Amino acid sequence: MQRFVNNPDEVVEDTVKGFVKAHSDIVRLADNPRVIAARNAPRAGKVGVVTGGGSGHEPAFIGYTGENMLDAVAVGELFSSPTAKSFYDAIREADGGKGVVCLYGNYAGDNMNVKMAIKLAAKDGIEVATVVANDDVCSASRDEREKRRGVAGEIFMWKVGGAKAAKGASLETVRATAQRAIDNCRSIGVGLGPCTLPAVGHPNFEIAPGTMEVGIGHHGEPGVRVEPLKSAAEIARDMCTIVLDDHDLPEGTEVAVLVSGLGATPLNELYILNDTIESEIVKRGLKIHRTYIGNYFTSLEMIGATLTVMALDDELKELLDTDVRCAAIL
Amino acid sequence: MQRFVNNPDEVVEDTVKGFVKAHSDIVRLADNPRVIAARNAPRAGKVGVVTGGGSGHEPAFIGYTGENMLDAVAVGELFSSPTAKSFYDAIREADGGKGVVCLYGNYAGDNMNVKMAIKLAAKDGIEVATVVANDDVCSASRDEREKRRGVAGEIFMWKVGGAKAAKGASLETVRATAQRAIDNCRSIGVGLGPCTLPAVGHPNFEIAPGTMEVGIGHHGEPGVRVEPLKSAAEIARDMCTIVLDDHDLPEGTEVAVLVSGLGATPLNELYILNDTIESEIVKRGLKIHRTYIGNYFTSLEMIGATLTVMALDDELKELLDTDVRCAAIL
């Protein structure tokens, strides 16, 4: 393992410490050392916005804590859900008396722990609404959308939800707007190389050299097919076909595009993918409002990339374009 | 090669196309397809700020084109200097009638081609001043600082120079301020894994598993020693010792810190490094003004990281903190 780690069992501990040191102008560690809160949270009279998830996806989730974004984030171990207690503590850190919206991804552990956290928060009189992200098109069929996992579309959900909350909207309005944001997102991942949990020491799944996994999940969950590695343009076309066929947007729709590396893919290759992605999107009669390219939602040192396409309306566009201040600046 | 590429000989072509598509609100392709210019460049009455360098270091150099940063960038092939013609065309794109400052790294090809470009620009009546970055402490001894290469400190040089030019300073003042910025920077790289030029198909240097190259350059140039891979904390301490011993800053000095991944190292490991880096810097009695962590200056899919420490004064701090708008947002 050619990695920068200390004790492999303390990767999350060390990551969080180094993160808080780097960005102490924006974030703070809560009393619970598995909760990161924005420096300016909670804000009285504002709906709190929280998320949480396993570590190893940096800058997700902690890097999106900050002004006009997330008020608090529950931090899990590598690729594992945060505890119910951590979700609960994140909710408390974010509570400004107007309720808290928890915008998280559709994973069994997160679903269970958020539910328990909501019960704990209810005892404190904190009302919690939730949106469960399910933008990963390859993780279940279109008829079973509720089974799909949440991936990089969550970033758009947080940005929209965070901006709406900052404008002073009610809990129900923030929830509904964040729900609309993620409903408007479709994502796909393609894996060219696996990743290794430092404490395990070998990859937890395989991608044979010369092949690729189309539809891979953020923890190496199998996709829809394994096939010989194609050219960037062919891969980009396949990604667009899968995402846009599922999306089925009317011509003229404005979209936001997010191309994220999975950790070990260099930025120039994401630009190469984007060259074809943009052409394909335009070919469908869609209009690109804004493109984000970089390591926005990763999977340790996985080689690969994800594509997220979000359909916009006037309000979503305005909310997405609201300035934020967080470590993973958008 | 588990990579997203089309024709390996057209990696730069495809990268630039995808980049310009993604960020067309900020940048434009010049008539010379190896020159990226800011949308708002040239600005009449403002000193133009340009750089250039080989590709494969994205977001450097192109990602720093934009408001209050670089006006134009000359783009080279992978790990190769841009041509003199491209440097010249970048200078012309940036020229607002008040002269142009070229802030670039100390590499033989760049030195030669910038010199030729200056001669061409002189015929057009464009005055060009230069600053040659040499922040890489391991690339030559302290007595031969003029031989050192430029690495990630260049980002601070561009940010300071870009902000100073935006304030309306004269060519000589912009040059002198950018020179002070890079004089105040020291950097070091540590490599844990090599990188491969797609057209070559195999790594152009070796880093044996279980070892690391301390002081590695941005193209795999050998460092000062190869040694068994240590813990993140030990590596971070070594990086700090080398950088800070060379820097030799008085106690109480404020510094900016930049920890950059080299392409295939995930963000969480950079945070792990930063945990120790910050402690070491504080231990020396220095005060950290601001920390940047991410893939700011890479080397294709090299595994590794660089540390840059820049000493600040009041003016450098103000310039560094000036808001910019570029793809690799700071």
Side-chain angles (χ1 to χ4, degrees):
Chain A
M1 275 203 316
Q2 297 300 91
R3 309 279 284 272
F4 294 110
V5 290
N6 297 309
N7 182 337
D9 291 324
E10 290 171 6
V11 165
V12 174
E13 180 76 17
D14 292 347
T15 298
V16 167
K17 282 195 294 181
F19 172 78
V20 173
K21 282 181 182 175
H23 303 296
S24 59
D25 51 330
I26 302 174
V27 302
R28 61 184 169 81
L29 196 61
D31 290 337
N32 178 339
R34 285 293 178 277
V35 174
I36 301 279
R39 274 242 164 254
N40 69 343
R43 270 172 57 196
K46 187 186 87 71
V47 169
V49 183
V50 308
T51 192
S55 294
H57 305 296
E58 290 70 21
F61 300 78
I62 53 178
Y64 299 97
T65 317
E67 281 170 41
N68 293 345
M69 277 290 268
L70 301 168
D71 291 299
V73 173
V75 177
E77 290 305 303
L78 288 176
F79 290 4
S80 300
S81 174
T83 62
K85 175 76 165 60
S86 292
F87 272 115
Y88 166 59
D89 287 336
I91 289 165
R92 291 203 307 168
E93 293 289 342
D95 175 40
K98 231 182 138 179
V100 172
V101 68
C102 184
L103 311 175
Y104 70 102
N106 191 23
Y107 296 89
D110 295 318
N111 281 318
M112 185 182 72
N113 290 322
V114 168
K115 257 187 205 128
M116 281 160 59
I118 291 173
K119 280 188 192 165
L120 293 169
K123 289 186 190 162
D124 295 340
I126 306 173
E127 192 184 350
V128 181
T130 59
V131 179
V132 185
N134 60 344
D135 52 308
D136 187 1
V137 298
C138 289
S139 53
S141 75
R142 216 175 153 181
D143 300 334
E144 297 189 302
R145 273 196 62 206
E146 74 286 353
K147 291 192 182 170
R148 289 181 177 175
R149 296 183 293 260
V151 284
E154 293 183 37
I155 296 165
F156 287 152
M157 171 177 72
W158 301 328
K159 201 155 194 299
V160 164
K164 191 71 187 176
K167 281 179 185 293
S170 71
L171 178 60
E172 170 49 25
T173 305
V174 174
R175 188 209 59 76
T177 313
Q179 182 72 59
R180 191 162 96 250
I182 198 67
D183 284 347
N184 281 14
C185 286
R186 298 289 185 285
S187 300
I188 182 175
V190 172
L192 307 192
C195 60
T196 294
L197 294 164
V200 176
H202 57 79
N204 56 336
F205 59 100
E206 242 186 61
I207 297 175
T211 72
M212 61 181 183
E213 178 96 34
V214 178
I216 197 165
H218 262 301
H219 314 92
E221 294 94 336
V224 289
R225 58 178 188 259
V226 175
E227 57 183 359
L229 181 57
K230 296 178 179 174
S231 73
E234 289 170 304
I235 296 169
R237 271 194 291 270
D238 287 351
M239 292 170 94
C240 286
T241 300
I242 292 173
V243 160
L244 297 176
D245 281 359
D246 193 275
H247 225 336
D248 199 17
L249 298 170
E251 261 192 52
T253 305
E254 284 193 87
V255 296
V257 176
L258 169 64
V259 182
S260 178
L262 284 176
T265 285
L267 189 52
N268 76 310
E269 297 181 25
L270 303 180
Y271 286 130
I272 292 174
L273 286 173
N274 184 61
D275 182 34
T276 303
I277 286 170
E278 171 152 338
S279 299
E280 291 297 304
I281 290 174
V282 169
K283 227 184 262 175
R284 296 245 184 170
L286 307 175
K287 202 184 147 203
I288 298 174
H289 170 64
R290 195 164 168 178
T291 301
Y292 300 86
I293 302 199
N295 286 306
Y296 286 102
F297 202 128
T298 65
S299 300
L300 292 169
E301 87 296 13
M302 205 188 291
I303 305 174
T306 64
L307 165 66
T308 299
V309 177
M310 180 197 199
L312 298 171
D313 53 36
D314 286 347
E315 189 192 20
L316 289 177
K317 210 158 65 172
E318 186 200 329
L319 294 169
L320 191 69
D321 287 345
T322 301
D323 281 339
V324 298
R325 187 160 172 263
C326 62
I329 306 160
L330 294 180
Chain B
M1 276 203 315
Q2 297 301 91
R3 310 278 285 273
F4 295 110
V5 290
N6 298 308
N7 183 337
D9 291 323
E10 288 171 8
V11 165
V12 175
E13 181 77 16
D14 292 347
T15 298
V16 167
K17 281 195 296 181
F19 172 78
V20 172
K21 282 181 181 175
H23 302 296
S24 59
D25 50 332
I26 302 173
V27 300
R28 59 184 169 82
L29 196 62
D31 290 336
N32 178 338
R34 286 293 178 275
V35 175
I36 302 278
R39 275 242 163 254
N40 69 343
R43 270 172 58 196
K46 187 185 87 71
V47 168
V49 183
V50 308
T51 193
S55 293
H57 305 296
E58 290 71 22
F61 301 79
I62 53 178
Y64 298 96
T65 316
E67 281 169 41
N68 294 345
M69 276 289 267
L70 300 169
D71 291 299
V73 173
V75 177
E77 290 305 303
L78 289 176
F79 290 4
S80 300
S81 174
T83 61
K85 175 73 164 60
S86 293
F87 272 115
Y88 166 58
D89 287 336
I91 288 166
R92 291 202 309 168
E93 293 289 342
D95 174 40
K98 233 182 136 181
V100 172
V101 67
C102 184
L103 312 174
Y104 70 101
N106 191 22
Y107 296 88
D110 295 317
N111 280 318
M112 184 182 73
N113 290 322
V114 168
K115 257 186 207 131
M116 281 160 58
I118 292 174
K119 279 188 193 166
L120 293 169
K123 289 186 190 161
D124 296 340
I126 306 173
E127 193 185 350
V128 181
T130 58
V131 178
V132 185
N134 60 344
D135 51 309
D136 186 1
V137 298
C138 289
S139 52
S141 75
R142 217 174 152 183
D143 301 333
E144 297 189 301
R145 272 195 63 206
E146 74 287 353
K147 290 192 181 168
R148 288 180 176 174
R149 295 182 294 260
V151 284
E154 294 184 35
I155 296 164
F156 287 152
M157 171 178 72
W158 301 328
K159 201 157 192 300
V160 165
K164 191 70 187 177
K167 281 179 184 293
S170 71
L171 178 60
E172 170 50 24
T173 306
V174 174
R175 188 208 60 75
T177 313
Q179 182 72 58
R180 191 162 98 251
I182 198 67
D183 284 347
N184 281 14
C185 285
R186 298 289 186 282
S187 300
I188 182 175
V190 172
L192 308 192
C195 60
T196 293
L197 294 164
V200 176
H202 56 79
N204 55 336
F205 60 101
E206 241 185 62
I207 297 176
T211 71
M212 61 180 183
E213 177 97 34
V214 178
I216 198 166
H218 262 301
H219 314 92
E221 294 94 336
V224 289
R225 58 179 189 259
V226 175
E227 58 183 359
L229 182 58
K230 297 178 178 173
S231 75
E234 288 169 303
I235 296 170
R237 271 194 291 270
D238 287 350
M239 292 171 93
C240 286
T241 300
I242 292 173
V243 160
L244 298 175
D245 281 358
D246 192 275
H247 226 335
D248 199 17
L249 298 170
E251 260 194 51
T253 304
E254 284 194 87
V255 297
V257 176
L258 169 63
V259 183
S260 178
L262 285 176
T265 284
L267 189 52
N268 77 311
E269 297 181 25
L270 303 181
Y271 287 130
I272 293 174
L273 285 174
N274 184 60
D275 181 33
T276 304
I277 286 170
E278 172 151 340
S279 298
E280 291 297 305
I281 289 173
V282 168
K283 228 184 261 173
R284 296 244 185 171
L286 306 175
K287 202 184 146 204
I288 298 174
H289 170 65
R290 193 164 171 180
T291 302
Y292 300 87
I293 303 200
N295 286 306
Y296 286 103
F297 202 129
T298 66
S299 300
L300 291 168
E301 88 295 14
M302 206 188 291
I303 306 174
T306 64
L307 165 65
T308 299
V309 177
M310 180 197 198
L312 297 171
D313 53 37
D314 286 346
E315 188 192 21
L316 290 177
K317 209 158 66 172
E318 185 201 329
L319 294 170
L320 191 69
D321 287 346
T322 301
D323 281 339
V324 298
R325 186 159 173 262
C326 62
I329 306 159
L330 292 180

